[in-house]
């Protein structure tokens, strides 16, 4: 299956220490949102969570999700730049220490952080297969150029 290519400007925002808000769907259809640390590997976004968490249970039942990342920049008209990614989650039954350490280094500057999932026996890796990229930022024009 063809993966959507992440534009360079979106890669830059995803590579920064901006956290992502992930939206999943509860069993009753209501939205569930939580903050996650993300990594980009090739054209896939990865985050970790505890397998017993609400978001992991929601994604096991319904893999559709939305990620929202806010940029520190504002547009020329004063609007906050933000990246919206719609996709589907693939859940892998473990979260490698190397991934945990990379996330901790990216967000808190330490390879090992007491709040990491390193000691969680039920931690899982969520790989986001991207269906659509939108939002307000330079990625919009880069995506238009890709599809031209």
């Amino acid at each position: 299956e063809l993966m959507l290519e992440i534009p360079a400007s979106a890669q830059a925002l995803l590579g920064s220490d901006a956290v992502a808000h992930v939206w999943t769907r509860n069993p009753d259809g209501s939205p569930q949102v939580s903050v996650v640390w993300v990594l980009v590997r090739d054209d896939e976004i990865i985050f970790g969570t505890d397998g017993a968490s609400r978001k992991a249970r929601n994604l096991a039942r319904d893999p559709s999700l939305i990620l929202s990342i806010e940029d520190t920049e504002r547009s020329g008209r004063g609007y906050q730049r933000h990246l919206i990614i719609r996709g589907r989650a693939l859940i892998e039954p473990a979260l490698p220490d190397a991934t945990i350490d990379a996330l901790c280094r990216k967000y808190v500057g330490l390879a090992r952080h007491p709040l990491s999932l390193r000691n969680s026996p039920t931690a899982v890796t969520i790989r986001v297969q991207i269906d659509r990229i939108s939002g307000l930022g330079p990625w919009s024009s880069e995506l238009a150029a890709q599809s031209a």
Side-chain angles (χ1 to χ4, degrees), residues 3-8 43 133 139-148:
M3 294 259 281
L4 194 61
E5 194 175 312
I6 303 174
D43 282 304
I133 297 173
W139 36 86
S140 303
S141 54
E142 287 175 51
L143 285 165
Q146 269 183 27
S147 60

Side-chain angles (χ1 to χ4, degrees), residues 69-83:
I69 302 97
E70 189 175 291
D71 200 343
T72 55
E73 304 271 326
R74 290 188 180 269
S75 72
R77 301 172 81 183
Y79 297 117
Q80 194 75 35
R81 292 192 342 186
H82 59 280
L83 176 65

